Amino acid sequence: MRDGGRHEAFIAHAVGRRIFGVLGAKMLETAPLRTNLAIALIPLAVAETLVWAAFYYSFPAFLPAWEASLGWSRAEISGAFTACLVLTGLLAPNAGILIDRGYSKHMFLGAIAVGALLLALLSQATELWQFWTIWLGLGIVNAACLYEACFAIVTVTVGTASRRAITIVTLWAGFAGTVSFPSAYALGEALGWRGAMLVFAGVIAFIALPLAWLGLNWLGGFREPPKSGAAVANPNGKHTILRNPVFWLIGLGFATIGIVHGMIISHIRPILDDRGVEVALAVIVASMFGPMQVLGRIIMLAIEKRVSSIGMAIICFVGIAAGLVLLALARIDPILAMIFVVPYAAAYGIVSIIRPVLTAEFLGRENFGTIAGLLALPYMLGFAIAPTLAALIWARSGYDAVIMISIVLTLSGCVAVLIGGRKAAAQGPLSK
């Protein structure tokens, strides 16, 4: 680490001890936390949780309030979020290139700061074009600071320790929805949605942003030294990777999960109604998605040393397919809807971890940010179009068809990833 980097890490550690000293200064005495990656990741993980809560989950959390107070249709409002997700996916490769060129910290922190400003502006929106413009801005921001960018930064920094590091971050960030929905409701009741949005903006500016700065500096203390002869990040490397069939197989495999989850999660309430599930039970099922995802990540953390990455990927696909089968059978017995969410959400919770890990193992870590960004594009676009796709399938053939198509897509994705794994093994080791 250069002298400037050491000085910045020292300042970050001093700030960290000041913040966390009451909770356990003794745990933080090993400056700059070189010996405990899990502790060093706490500030970044908390920041990522708050960012997800404010920049993503705030939309569904505030949707009823916007619909009631602004006089726009649900389709007009929801269209802004779809456009936001599409733009995030389209810009993910560009964020990856910036990470590979060494601008990860500036990009990540700058995006969070701009996002806080956009939330403050959102609190003042009165016209539909203003609302759409702000959410398009958040689409740019999200490409630079949500999971795709965060995990690329972690992978580039800690290398072979990335699977455990990403798992730790997602254990915290999995509760973003749990933070956002109750906060939006309570603050909305007390301050109105405009006041609540200003509070969200303040939390991002004065809590998430400093924690992200602190976390990135602590994480830098675990940077793996480059191996001798390692190639300098090459922005033109994407042309080489696009000729690799392993890239397309991984992209196809995980894009199916993006489509499937987008269809199921966006239509979960009408799907459960169609299964004959009572409203109270449906609410319980919907509320279990977040905790079950965290449960899946905890299980992964417990078995990570005994299961290979490709084995974990197979568990993801099979778990999601098994959950969908139970959902299909819930028409026979509605209690199966309660059971469905356990394998489905637990398996999906692992996807966000295993996707970047498998990408690094199959395609190497050279130009990883660019590769991860390119792979994020079909996944996120699939997720963005999925709600509309599910609505079209439902209108023509009902929700039974939506579930059956989801099962077929999931199993097809599993096959694609397995073939990709075999081809990667046949190609031999790539840059690590």
Side-chain angles (χ1 to χ4, degrees), residues 35-383:
T35 60
N36 198 324
L37 179 60
I39 295 176
L41 285 166
I42 290 175
L44 182 61
V46 174
E48 190 70 6
T49 304
L50 295 174
V51 163
W52 267 97
F55 297 166
Y56 183 89
Y57 286 108
S58 64
F59 192 97
F62 285 106
L63 177 58
W66 292 331
E67 192 175 9
S69 68
L70 294 173
W72 308 324
S73 71
R74 182 171 300 183
E76 289 174 323
I77 297 172
S78 299
F81 193 49
T82 298
C84 168
L85 294 176
V86 170
L87 188 56
T88 298
L90 291 174
L91 293 177
N94 301 88
I97 291 172
L98 289 175
I99 292 169
D100 286 335
R101 289 180 174 178
Y103 297 109
S104 56
K105 186 183 296 185
H106 300 87
M107 180 194 74
F108 195 82
L109 297 178
I112 294 176
V114 172
L117 176 61
L118 289 172
L119 291 181
L121 291 175
L122 185 60
S123 73
Q124 306 304 310
T126 56
E127 303 291 336
L128 185 60
W129 69 266
Q130 296 171 341
F131 186 85
W132 269 67
T133 300
I134 291 167
W135 276 103
L136 286 172
L138 285 169
I140 300 172
V141 164
N142 289 347
C145 67
L146 291 189
Y147 272 167
E148 301 300 334
C150 180
F151 295 163
I153 292 169
V154 169
T155 300
V156 168
T157 303
V158 304
T160 54
S162 60
R163 184 162 91 171
R164 184 172 185 82
I166 292 171
T167 304
I168 292 168
V169 172
T170 57
L171 286 177
W172 292 75
F175 291 103
T178 307
V179 171
S180 186
F181 284 98
S183 299
Y185 177 78
L187 291 170
E189 289 290 306
L191 305 172
W193 73 264
R194 296 185 186 276
M197 194 59 64
L198 285 173
V199 173
F200 272 46
V203 168
I204 294 299
F206 299 111
I207 299 179
L209 183 58
L211 284 175
W213 173 82
L214 183 65
L216 290 175
N217 281 290
W218 279 3
L219 186 67
F222 295 86
R223 182 178 297 277
E224 284 192 351
K227 295 183 179 180
S228 59
V232 177
N234 175 16
N236 296 319
K238 65 181 180 181
H239 300 299
T240 301
I241 204 67
L242 289 175
R243 293 194 295 268
N244 190 335
V246 176
F247 170 86
W248 293 103
L249 287 164
I250 296 175
L252 173 64
F254 285 106
T256 63
I257 296 299
I259 296 171
V260 167
H261 188 62
M263 290 199 297
I264 297 301
I265 197 67
S266 63
H267 286 255
I268 188 61
R269 284 296 302 274
I271 288 175
L272 293 175
D273 290 342
D274 185 66
R275 308 288 97 180
V277 178
E278 294 182 358
V279 174
L281 181 59
V283 171
I284 294 173
V285 170
S287 67
M288 287 174 63
F289 273 87
M292 288 303 103
Q293 288 183 46
V294 173
L295 174 62
R297 292 160 185 165
I298 293 173
I299 293 172
M300 178 176 175
L301 201 60
I303 66 174
E304 63 175 347
K305 294 182 179 178
R306 296 189 292 273
V307 181
S308 67
S309 296
I310 189 65
M312 198 67 71
I314 294 171
I315 291 174
C316 290
F317 285 98
V318 172
I320 290 172
L324 290 170
V325 170
L326 291 172
L327 183 60
L329 296 174
R331 188 185 295 280
I332 301 172
D333 187 350
I335 198 64
L336 292 175
M338 178 73 79
I339 303 173
F340 125 83
V341 75
V342 179
Y344 178 93
Y348 183 75
I350 302 174
V351 169
S352 56
I353 302 168
I354 207 62
R355 188 155 53 97
V357 171
L358 214 59
T359 300
E361 291 188 6
F362 285 3
L363 298 170
R365 292 186 173 85
E366 181 184 337
N367 297 313
F368 180 82
T370 303
I371 296 170
L374 289 169
L375 284 173
L377 181 56
Y379 179 88
M380 299 182 74
L381 290 180
F383 185 84

